[in-house]
Amino acid sequence: VLFLFVCSPSPCSFHWIRKAEEQPESLDPCDINGPHFDPELFLNKLRRECSLAELMDQETCMVKQIRSLDSDMQTLVYENYNKFISATDTIRKMKNDFKKMEDEMDCLSANMAAITEFSARISGTLQDQHAQITKLSGVHTLLRKLQFLFELPARLNKCLELQAYAQAVRSHRRARCVLQQYSHLPSFKGIQDDCHAIMDKLAQELRQKFRDGGSSAKDLSECVELLLQLDEPAEELCDKFLSHAQSRLESDLQGLEAEIRPYPTIPSPTSNTDILEFIDRGCNEFVSSLCLVITSYQELFINHAQKGELLNAFVDDLAARYFSLVERRIQEEKGVADNSLLVRALDRFHRRLQAVTKLLPGSAVPNQGTEIVIRAATERVKQYLSALQSFYMDSLTDVRQALATPRDAPNSLPELLSSLSASILNQIKSVLASVHLFTAKDITFSNKPYFKGEFCSQGVRESLVVSFIKFVCQSSRQFCESAGDKGGSTPPALLLLLSRLCLDYETSTISYILTLTDEQFLVQHHSPVTPVTTLCAEAREAAQKLLNHYVKVQGLIISQMLRKSVETRDWVNTIEPRNVRAVMKRVVEDTTSIDVQVGLLYEEGVRKAHSSDSSKRTFSVYSSSRQQARYAASYTPSAPMDTNLLSNIHKLFSERIDIFSSVEFNKVSVMTGIIKISLKTFLECVRLRTFGRYGLQQIQVDCHYLQMYLWRFVSDENLVHFMLDEIVGSSAHRCLDPAPMEQSVIEVICERG
Amino acid sequence: MEDDAPVIYGLEFQARALTAQTAETDAIRFLVGTQSLKFDNQIHIIDFDDENNIINKNVLLHQAGEIWHIGASPADKAVLTTCYNKTSDSRVVSCAAVWRMPSDWETGSHESPDDSAHNPQTLELLCHLDDSAHSNAACVLWEPMGDGKRVISLADNHALLWDLQESSTQATVSSTATLEGKGQLKFTSGKWSPHHNCSQLATANDTAIRGWDLRTMSQIYCIENAHGQLVRDLDFNPNRQYYLASCGDDCKVKFWDVRNVQEPVKSLEEHSHWVWSVRYNHSHDQLVLTASSDSRLILSNMVSISSEPFGHLVDDEELSEGEDNHQEDKSKEPLKDSVVSTYEEHEDSVYAAEWSSADPWLFASLSYDGRLVINRVPRALKYRILL
């Protein structure tokens, strides 16, 4: 109670607490409710302490309280009065009843005494008969037992007849001890001998049955169990047991072997079960039998611990043969179409082997099984890689064909590129998805450390994805090298396309693929892996090489036209130029179409700012007057140094031009490269020829025409000016009668053409 | 160890033809033939004074026409051959001839060097290497190390072997070989092999290189598509009889073992335009000189395919202990093929480069604008090869 009050925080309760505290031992004589109340003291105290008014109040209060107490008391008395009356009645009634009960109880005890007496008398009379009955029943059981013994040979015989070996052995076991104990009695001895004879026969039969071996594993183990109970030597049994088991398991294995096509070259679709069926059969027949053998062996020969090694050797031997069959079968799985079948088969294979682990904890079998799975997986990854590679090559062949077919091909370059790159990416994704099955959560072997770590990083990432990317780069580079000499075997458009592909790989695809792989396989980089940057660098290098090669090939095609046109003409005896030669128009046309082609895949790129008059009129940059001055100077014998001076001064201000140099990944740079190669060839060819007057003029016309159209393609138009300048200059040097054509005439001819 | 600066000499005319004076083994001397359609062409005899780094020139007139190829006799210093273009009646004809320098050209130059420029002496014609059936000679090759009696001229699709008689004043064709095939085949260049008793010749036409046996005048090997483009020049390794270098319009220099014509032994791609000339050093065949129309001359050190792939072999007996260790250190150094140096003194296409016949460490190169540059192998490399 106290505790409760303390807990409640209200002030009212506090008052009560005080009261409760004081109540039990209120020694205060002034406490009007206390037991030690002294009216005198109280009055004195009041009189001393209170004023008159207070006394008056106290008095009225007291009177009031007294009055109320009186009325309360009256009420209580009145209420309790009735109860007292009824209580008195009840007590009186009870008194009468008890008296009656006492009489009845006396009567009862008298009766009980009489009953006790009778019962004692009856049991006394029956005691003798009871003892007799007990004795008789004992004799009966003994007789029953004796009867069992006497009937035992017959029973055993019957059991033997019915082949109820288990029952016979059980019966014999029950009787054996007794017979042994009483064997000194001739009658029992007879029975025992009979039994022995029968049991020997039985054992014989069992052994026979055991030897026959045709029965199932369960029968066999039962047989062995019985024989063991008949105290047959365990070692011998154990050997026999194993050899029987072996013969049966071997038949299973032969069944499996028959499933593997003996001659894989001969297609025989009917006998060709799929790998899942094969593994299923192997599991159901061989592995389950093996497990059964192990279990029964362990149960039967539990006491012969040293036999464990024998069993291990036995299991290892058979398992090895089984594994070799499985491996042969797995190797036949060449098609990469459906990986899930293989994975499921491997999973089942692996899962069933776990049973062996449980039964034989120390066995190497499950590890070997895991190794087989690992080998199968790595083999698979290799197959996927080669499938990817051949897919890539096939795609390239398709692209090649698409490029070779009709006119619309160049326009579809970007589409070809996107479809090529998309189909490769899809193929990679589908391969990754297939390979991913190996690490799916519900596959038992996926939690092996190999599949968690090495398989993901080395197997999938390195051997599959990285190898494929490297293959792409390498095969691209091969296009540059093998086709490099003749130039014709790879269509230039393909080079351009591949270059763009490699560049795209460098910028995004590689990192995308690798991120995808890492995410899907949660690759943890325990072992060093090829970093993205290395692959990107490789791809960029390949792209660069391809593009350079493209420039070279296209440049050579145009060069070839120019060279033929210069070499085959008799420039000394040519007629006065009336037209731009057709070959120049062809060069411009080809250059334009190359420009379009490159523009489909590459960005424009930067060019140097054009001079304000960079139009057809720019030809005035190398005006004929200056040109004349130049050759005039070179033919002045008195000033031999001028030849060099003029051209050298010119060269001082222009950088050395590298003809077959590396280009940048943009259209202008590519076009500059091609035009440089073409014009340089033109120059070198011109220098090997001798020109007549009209020959020189024809070259002038041609160069002007080229000038009109080529400047727009290159990054620095001065380059074209300079090189064309060189060509005209060189042909003037090689001219027998250098009389240049009027600039205005040249322009007219060119505009007409 | 600073290398000497290159020495430059300017000709007034454009020039393509350059040769060392093969028979001269004391003085460093080069012959240059000029190309001019209007004026008399000249042969400049360039003497280089190695000690003073000075060039002396002598000019001889070659009035027959512009010179495309020049070859010096290996036996007689004064005898040379040229291939030249003659223009007559607006026709251009290529011819070849054997010439003799006037006997006093040398003395004359010493007395009055200025005069020689103004009044040059003229070459003396010994004989023409033309007959009516075969014209358009591309080049004339002297029998290497021979007595100056046999030359081969390559004209269109014929290789003609000439015997020079009567002090080279008479030339008769002793045998011919003809290149047969589709189209207009034409020899562009050739080289007489110094091996096998000088019985072999290698020629280039278009992209193919062919080997000929001069005894039977029949083809013995053919490297089809040796280069992606035209083959411009050939040279035999002076020390390894089956090794051949070639160069061409695909910017490449290739090294071949003619016993296996399928694949080059080595391929270089250092130039950025057509390679016009390739020359093995006469004594140290790892040094290869290439000239290109990218205006560059490149000296490469092709150790791996040279006759001394492991460096200069020194007998153990000659070495004391200390040197022995040193030698071991050196042999451990990987000997790699490398570009020794790129020479950029030219400003126009370099069409010819030649090693000096007198000094194995010195070479000359000639660009179209008439600039002749004489350079030396860098000293560091020279001492590494020698020591």
Side-chain angles (χ1 to χ4, degrees):
Chain A
V1 174
L2 191 77
F3 175 71
L4 266 176
F5 282 133
V6 171
C7 285
S8 58
S10 71
C12 147
S13 63
F14 184 65
H15 173 73
W16 275 100
I17 287 164
R18 216 180 45 184
K19 250 188 162 176
E21 271 173 354
E22 280 167 3
Q23 235 168 11
E25 40 180 341
S26 173
L27 296 172
D28 186 6
C30 298
D31 182 2
I32 200 160
N33 293 324
H36 305 283
F37 179 64
D38 189 339
E40 280 304 317
L41 273 174
F42 182 66
L43 274 179
N44 286 341
K45 191 179 167 201
L46 279 180
R47 269 197 300 259
R48 252 185 287 132
E49 291 171 358
C50 306
S51 62
L52 183 64
E54 277 173 342
L55 278 175
M56 289 298 285
D57 285 350
Q58 189 78 27
E59 198 247 330
T60 43
C61 172
M62 196 95 74
V63 170
K64 229 184 256 175
Q65 278 179 352
I66 287 165
R67 251 185 229 144
S68 77
L69 277 173
D70 273 350
S71 74
D72 282 356
M73 202 158 67
Q74 273 179 9
T75 320
L76 277 172
V77 168
Y78 182 74
E79 272 178 358
N80 287 326
Y81 181 74
N82 283 336
K83 288 179 187 162
F84 276 124
I85 301 266
S86 70
T88 325
D89 286 354
T90 315
I91 289 166
R92 194 179 299 135
K93 199 179 168 190
M94 274 169 72
K95 225 176 190 172
N96 290 338
D97 288 352
F98 273 116
K99 202 169 268 172
K100 216 160 96 190
M101 261 164 73
E102 214 171 78
D103 294 345
E104 282 174 6
M105 283 307 284
D106 285 346
C107 179
L108 184 68
S109 63
N111 286 347
M112 281 308 288
I115 289 166
T116 318
E117 200 183 329
F118 276 119
S119 128
R121 218 183 295 156
I122 288 164
S123 59
T125 40
L126 287 179
Q127 193 142 31
D128 291 346
Q129 285 172 353
H130 182 74
Q132 267 180 346
I133 288 168
T134 319
K135 205 171 157 189
L136 279 172
S137 79
V139 171
H140 179 72
T141 10
L142 188 65
L143 284 173
R144 281 261 298 276
K145 278 183 184 164
L146 281 174
Q147 192 187 7
F148 174 77
L149 280 180
F150 287 120
E151 280 175 6
L152 185 60
R155 190 194 290 257
L156 288 178
N157 271 329
K158 196 164 184 191
C159 284
L160 202 54
E161 249 170 63
L162 293 173
Q163 297 194 326
Y165 302 115
Q167 204 188 342
V169 172
R170 212 177 314 128
S171 307
H172 179 248
R173 275 166 66 88
R174 272 167 65 192
R176 200 159 52 176
C177 306
V178 182
L179 287 171
Q180 194 66 38
Q181 200 177 346
Y182 294 99
S183 58
H184 56 280
L185 295 177
S187 54
F188 284 107
K189 179 83 181 159
I191 295 173
Q192 193 183 15
D193 291 346
D194 282 356
C195 285
H196 271 308
I198 295 168
M199 287 321 284
D200 283 347
K201 203 172 153 197
L202 187 140
Q204 207 67 40
E205 267 187 49
L206 278 178
R207 251 177 252 137
Q208 185 60 42
K209 190 178 162 190
F210 183 53
R211 213 168 289 135
D212 288 349
S215 44
S216 71
K218 205 174 166 190
D219 287 348
L220 204 64
S221 62
E222 208 176 81
C223 223
V224 172
E225 194 179 353
L226 293 175
L227 281 170
L228 273 177
Q229 283 175 4
L230 292 174
D231 292 336
E232 287 287 318
E235 285 81 6
E236 196 183 316
L237 274 178
C238 163
D239 286 348
K240 275 190 186 157
F241 177 76
L242 288 184
S243 70
H244 277 295
Q246 181 151 21
S247 69
R248 264 183 304 103
L249 291 172
E250 266 172 20
S251 76
D252 283 348
L253 287 177
Q254 272 156 15
L256 284 179
E257 197 164 5
E259 298 248 333
I260 300 178
R261 280 175 295 165
Y263 306 106
T265 47
I266 300 169
S268 51
T270 47
S271 71
N272 187 16
T273 53
D274 70 35
I275 185 152
L276 190 59
E277 280 174 50
F278 176 84
I279 294 283
D280 254 351
R281 196 174 152 186
C283 289
N284 291 339
E285 290 177 1
F286 176 81
V287 179
S288 58
S289 309
L290 187 69
C291 289
L292 209 56
V293 168
I294 295 171
T295 333
S296 28
Y297 183 93
Q298 281 175 337
E299 275 173 10
L300 294 173
F301 304 106
I302 196 146
N303 298 323
H304 308 278
Q306 76 278 13
K307 292 290 159 193
E309 292 147 27
L310 206 65
L311 179 67
N312 273 342
F314 166 79
V315 171
D316 286 352
D317 176 42
L318 281 170
R321 290 171 56 186
Y322 172 58
F323 288 156
S324 77
L325 284 178
V326 170
E327 279 208 276
R328 264 174 63 194
R329 183 65 185 85
I330 289 174
Q331 274 161 16
E332 278 180 28
E333 282 302 297
K334 292 266 188 274
V336 287
D338 188 9
N339 196 39
S340 65
L341 207 60
L342 178 75
V343 173
R344 261 161 58 208
L346 286 175
D347 177 40
R348 203 156 297 181
F349 169 74
H350 189 263
R351 198 188 293 270
R352 292 301 284 263
L353 285 178
Q354 299 309 307
V356 181
T357 323
K358 279 181 199 134
L359 293 172
L360 273 181
S363 173
V365 171
N367 285 339
Q368 287 168 1
T370 313
E371 271 164 31
I372 287 183
V373 173
I374 288 174
R375 275 202 291 277
T378 38
E379 192 54 39
R380 232 336 106 116
V381 168
K382 270 187 212 155
Q383 286 170 3
Y384 273 119
L385 176 62
S386 64
L388 267 183
Q389 291 176 346
S390 62
F391 175 81
Y392 176 69
M393 293 321 281
D394 289 350
S395 313
L396 285 195
T397 316
D398 290 350
V399 171
R400 212 185 258 254
Q401 271 165 3
L403 289 175
T405 46
R407 284 277 92 196
D408 59 345
N411 297 328
S412 60
L413 264 183
E415 287 124 68
L416 274 176
L417 175 69
S418 64
S419 77
L420 175 67
S421 96
S423 71
I424 292 172
L425 204 57
N426 279 337
Q427 193 69 13
I428 290 177
K429 277 182 185 164
S430 78
V431 163
L432 280 181
S434 300
V435 175
H436 194 246
L437 290 174
F438 278 109
T439 61
K441 280 222 169 56
D442 55 336
I443 303 295
T444 48
F445 51 75
S446 67
N447 59 4
K448 293 273 169 200
Y450 171 79
F451 281 97
K452 277 191 163 166
E454 208 190 334
F455 178 73
C456 296
S457 65
Q458 289 305 314
V460 176
R461 192 184 191 274
E462 293 294 302
S463 314
L464 189 65
V465 179
V466 172
S467 299
F468 177 65
I469 293 169
K470 282 190 172 162
F471 171 79
V472 169
C473 296
Q474 208 171 339
S475 69
S476 309
R477 281 203 300 271
Q478 271 165 9
F479 276 115
C480 305
E481 279 150 24
S482 62
D485 286 345
K486 258 316 178 188
S489 59
T490 312
L494 183 64
L495 291 173
L496 189 68
L497 190 120
L498 282 178
S499 145
R500 184 70 224 191
L501 183 75
C502 285
L503 194 66
D504 287 348
Y505 265 63
E506 190 252 331
T507 48
S508 59
T509 317
I510 288 178
S511 65
Y512 171 71
I513 293 174
L514 285 184
T515 316
L516 191 75
T517 315
D518 288 357
E519 272 169 9
Q520 264 193 20
F521 288 87
L522 302 168
V523 177
Q524 293 147 347
H525 302 302
H526 297 303
S527 43
V529 291
T530 321
V532 180
T533 46
T534 318
L535 287 176
C536 286
E538 201 165 321
R540 193 179 178 85
E541 191 198 330
Q544 183 74 60
K545 229 170 174 175
L546 282 163
L547 195 62
N548 287 349
H549 191 63
Y550 174 76
V551 169
K552 201 164 168 178
V553 169
Q554 294 286 34
L556 287 180
I557 292 171
I558 294 178
S559 293
Q560 216 66 14
M561 285 193 292
L562 287 168
R563 176 194 289 219
K564 284 271 141 56
S565 79
V566 175
E567 279 177 359
T568 50
R569 202 177 170 106
D570 180 1
W571 290 98
V572 178
N573 299 313
T574 187
I575 53 157
E576 188 172 3
R578 299 189 185 285
N579 270 315
V580 176
R581 281 185 303 146
V583 69
M584 294 300 155
K585 290 180 180 168
R586 181 79 197 283
V587 165
V588 169
E589 266 169 35
D590 281 12
T591 313
T592 313
S593 71
I594 291 170
D595 183 64
V596 170
Q597 194 179 52
V598 177
L600 288 172
L601 292 180
Y602 279 98
E603 294 75 26
E604 180 74 23
V606 276
R607 47 176 102 223
K608 288 192 185 159
H610 295 295
S611 50
S612 54
D613 59 344
S614 54
S615 60
K616 293 175 185 179
R617 298 289 163 200
T618 42
F619 196 50
S620 58
V621 167
Y622 78 123
S623 65
S624 58
S625 59
R626 216 192 87 188
Q627 203 62 36
Q628 271 171 327
R630 220 181 123 189
Y631 5 108
S634 63
Y635 289 102
T636 312
S638 58
M641 285 314 289
D642 280 7
T643 329
N644 296 336
L645 200 64
L646 254 177
S647 72
N648 286 353
I649 286 170
H650 193 114
K651 280 173 183 169
L652 269 181
F653 293 103
S654 59
E655 285 169 34
R656 187 187 283 271
I657 302 163
D658 271 345
I659 304 302
F660 289 98
S661 54
S662 214
V663 294
E664 286 160 34
F665 292 107
N666 60 55
K667 192 178 85 176
V668 168
S669 178
V670 168
M671 294 314 294
T672 309
I674 293 171
I675 289 171
K676 267 197 303 192
I677 292 173
S678 314
L679 293 186
K680 179 76 177 178
T681 306
F682 196 10
L683 173 67
E684 292 295 338
C685 291
V686 161
R687 284 180 173 186
L688 290 171
R689 303 287 299 177
T690 309
F691 295 84
R693 172 201 298 214
Y694 296 129
L696 168 65
Q697 291 182 355
Q698 181 69 60
I699 293 289
Q700 274 185 295
V701 169
D702 291 349
C703 284
H704 184 80
Y705 183 79
L706 289 179
Q707 167 69 28
M708 277 164 61
Y709 291 100
L710 291 186
W711 65 267
R712 69 190 81 204
F713 299 120
V714 299
S715 61
D716 180 6
E717 59 182 286
N718 287 326
L719 185 95
V720 175
H721 297 181
F722 172 68
M723 293 188 81
L724 289 171
D725 214 11
E726 281 276 296
I727 293 169
V728 176
S730 285
S731 51
H733 269 299
R734 304 284 318 141
C735 184
L736 296 170
D737 177 19
M741 198 177 227
E742 276 297 312
Q743 183 63 27
S744 54
V745 182
I746 294 175
E747 277 165 23
V748 167
I749 292 176
C750 285
E751 260 148 49
R752 201 177 56 200
Chain B
M1 213 187 312
E2 222 168 275
D3 289 312
D4 292 322
V7 181
I8 300 176
Y9 169 74
L11 281 77
E12 296 83 5
F13 300 113
Q14 289 169 331
R16 280 172 184 270
L18 168 72
T19 183
Q21 196 177 29
T22 322
E24 174 64 68
T25 51
D26 296 329
I28 300 163
R29 188 170 295 156
F30 294 97
L31 307 178
V32 181
T34 62
Q35 287 197 317
S36 172
L37 291 166
K38 271 234 158 146
F39 302 98
D40 278 345
N41 281 287
Q42 304 164 340
I43 288 190
H44 288 234
I45 304 165
I46 314 284
D47 265 301
F48 180 62
D49 184 345
D50 197 19
E51 279 164 22
N52 303 316
N53 249 19
I54 294 172
I55 282 178
N56 289 315
K57 68 156 183 179
N58 286 288
V59 178
L60 297 174
L61 280 185
H62 178 279
Q63 283 154 333
E66 52 171 4
I67 303 168
W68 288 84
H69 185 266
I70 189 167
S73 160
D76 189 342
K77 284 188 222 177
V79 174
L80 64 126
T81 56
T82 57
C83 296
Y84 56 92
N85 273 6
K86 197 164 61 182
T87 46
S88 55
D89 310 332
S90 58
R91 250 171 54 85
V92 179
V93 188
S94 304
C95 311
V98 187
W99 308 86
R100 177 180 289 281
M101 302 180 195
S103 52
D104 57 342
W105 63 268
E106 208 162 0
T107 51
S109 74
H110 283 300
E111 285 164 4
S112 53
D114 290 335
D115 289 347
S116 69
H118 291 292
N119 281 319
Q121 290 174 287
T122 309
L123 281 173
E124 174 191 339
L125 177 70
L126 291 178
C127 61
H128 287 286
L129 293 176
D130 297 299
D131 61 26
S132 49
H134 311 113
S135 61
N136 284 330
C139 64
V140 176
L141 310 167
W142 287 92
E143 183 180 27
M145 298 171 290
D147 53 4
K149 293 270 167 67
R150 299 213 295 169
V151 290
I152 291 172
S153 71
L154 299 176
D156 279 339
N157 58 341
H158 303 286
L160 311 171
L161 179 58
W162 301 82
D163 278 333
L164 302 180
Q165 287 144 353
E166 315 265 329
S167 316
S168 306
T169 51
Q170 259 188 8
T172 50
V173 175
S174 64
S175 52
T176 62
T178 306
L179 182 62
E180 272 156 16
K182 279 186 281 181
Q184 277 200 328
L185 296 176
K186 200 176 162 192
F187 286 123
T188 51
S189 154
K191 203 81 187 177
W192 197 329
S193 164
H195 307 291
H196 313 288
N197 260 340
C198 301
S199 63
Q200 287 187 11
L201 169 74
T203 60
N205 67 294
D206 200 19
T207 61
I209 297 173
R210 285 162 210 276
W212 305 85
D213 188 330
L214 296 174
R215 294 166 296 192
T216 57
M217 286 313 242
S218 57
Q219 185 176 313
I220 45 180
Y221 58 85
C222 176
I223 308 173
E224 296 278 6
N225 295 322
H227 284 266
Q229 310 274 307
L230 215 63
V231 181
R232 289 278 172 194
D233 197 16
L234 301 166
D235 199 18
F236 280 97
N237 187 316
N239 301 323
R240 301 190 79 181
Q241 55 185 345
Y242 298 110
Y243 276 68
L244 174 71
S246 66
C247 59
D249 286 1
D250 56 359
C251 311
K252 287 181 186 164
V253 178
K254 290 184 180 182
F255 297 89
W256 303 88
D257 182 334
V258 296
R259 291 166 296 186
N260 173 22
V261 298
Q262 302 305 317
E263 282 290 313
V265 184
K266 201 97 193 175
S267 178
L268 291 181
E269 197 170 358
E270 303 290 345
H271 285 289
S272 67
H273 202 245
W274 307 349
V275 188
W276 287 75
S277 172
V278 59
R279 287 288 178 268
Y280 276 110
N281 186 295
H282 303 306
S283 22
H284 304 283
D285 54 281
Q286 60 267 53
L287 299 177
V288 177
L289 205 57
T290 51
S292 157
S293 40
D294 63 0
S295 318
R296 289 192 183 93
L297 184 71
I298 291 182
L299 176 62
S300 309
N301 188 13
M302 304 302 294
V303 187
S304 70
I305 50 168
S306 74
S307 57
E308 293 177 348
F310 306 107
H312 186 58
L313 294 177
V314 183
D315 288 340
D316 289 342
E317 295 155 15
E318 293 176 13
L319 295 164
S320 68
E321 293 257 309
E323 281 171 326
D324 204 6
N325 291 339
H326 182 61
Q327 188 67 23
E328 268 175 38
D329 290 345
K330 267 182 85 178
S331 62
K332 275 175 201 161
E333 261 176 53
L335 292 165
K336 273 189 201 152
D337 299 342
S338 59
V339 171
V340 176
S341 190
T342 304
Y343 300 94
E344 315 230 8
E345 282 85 21
H346 292 287
E347 272 156 4
D348 206 333
S349 304
V350 187
Y351 293 129
E354 283 289 348
W355 291 95
S356 159
S357 55
D359 181 349
W361 307 107
L362 197 129
F363 52 88
S365 55
L366 178 68
S367 56
Y368 189 60
D369 53 7
R371 180 180 293 189
L372 181 83
V373 179
I374 293 177
N375 257 307
R376 293 183 188 83
V377 176
R379 285 221 179 103
L381 176 65
K382 173 173 165 181
Y383 291 133
R384 217 171 73 202
I385 292 172
L386 284 177
L387 298 180

